[in-house]
Amino acid sequence: QVHLMESGGGSVQTGGSLRLSCDASGDTSSTFCMGWFRQAPGKERERAASLFTNDGSTWYPRSVRGRFTISKDNAKNTLYLQMNDLKPEDTAMYYCAAQEAWDTHCSGKDAAWGQGTQVTVSS
């Protein structure tokens, strides 16, 4: 079982930056992909970024493309999400996920989840 611990959330002004971290422990050998998902009150969970562990390829929705960067430090088993030019619509609880099931879109299917870290962007 993979265990995830997130950190780095906080409150910033519009245009500010944050870097989220996700420390992974346990058996990570079967991880197919990892991702950052976010959920705001009254909205469905959405994938903000994902990374495939086999080749390092990444994916971003159009809403964050060019502003967010997902990366992984394999030596530290830490996943990062660099968020720049933050906007109020980025306000959400951000969750780290590790998925073992094969999935073209790294949807979070049967994934292990972190506890979440809050990101708040004020106008």
Side-chain angles (χ1 to χ4, degrees), residues 1-4 24-31 98 100 110-113:
Q1 180 66 47
V2 177
H3 301 278
L4 306 172
S25 60
D27 185 6
T28 62
S29 62
S30 298
T31 300
E100 295 183 354
D110 299 321
W113 298 90

Side-chain angles (χ1 to χ4, degrees), residues 6-10 20-21 36 92-96 114-119:
E6 301 162 328
S7 61
L20 307 183
S21 298
W36 289 96
M93 186 72 74
Y94 283 71
Y95 299 91
C96 176
Q115 80 286 354
T117 185
Q118 178 68 40
V119 171

Side-chain angles (χ1 to χ4, degrees), residues 38-41 87-94 118-122:
R38 64 186 185 182
Q39 187 167 25
K87 303 176 180 180
E89 50 263 43
D90 296 318
T91 296
M93 186 72 74
Y94 283 71
Q118 178 68 40
V119 171
T120 302
V121 185
S122 59

Side-chain angles (χ1 to χ4, degrees), residues 2-123:
V2 177
H3 301 278
L4 306 172
M5 184 174 67
E6 301 162 328
S7 61
S11 181
V12 298
Q13 298 287 330
T14 297
S17 298
L18 286 172
R19 188 180 73 164
L20 307 183
S21 298
C22 173
D23 294 319
S25 60
D27 185 6
T28 62
S29 62
S30 298
T31 300
F32 173 74
C33 64
M34 298 188 72
W36 289 96
F37 296 76
R38 64 186 185 182
Q39 187 167 25
K43 295 184 178 181
E44 294 186 344
R45 185 188 69 195
E46 66 173 351
R47 181 160 52 112
S50 61
L51 181 151
F52 292 95
T53 57
N54 63 342
D55 62 4
S57 61
T58 60
W59 177 91
Y60 307 91
R62 288 190 292 270
S63 59
V64 310
R65 196 167 296 164
R67 300 187 298 117
F68 288 13
T69 302
I70 187 172
S71 62
K72 188 173 187 294
D73 186 330
N74 291 320
K76 297 180 179 180
N77 277 324
T78 300
L79 186 74
Y80 300 99
L81 184 66
Q82 178 67 46
M83 304 183 294
N84 297 324
D85 192 24
L86 284 162
K87 303 176 180 180
E89 50 263 43
D90 296 318
T91 296
M93 186 72 74
Y94 283 71
Y95 299 91
C96 176
Q99 178 178 315
E100 295 183 354
W102 187 92
D103 185 357
T104 301
H105 305 293
C106 196
S107 64
K109 182 180 180 180
D110 299 321
W113 298 90
Q115 80 286 354
T117 185
Q118 178 68 40
V119 171
T120 302
V121 185
S122 59
S123 302

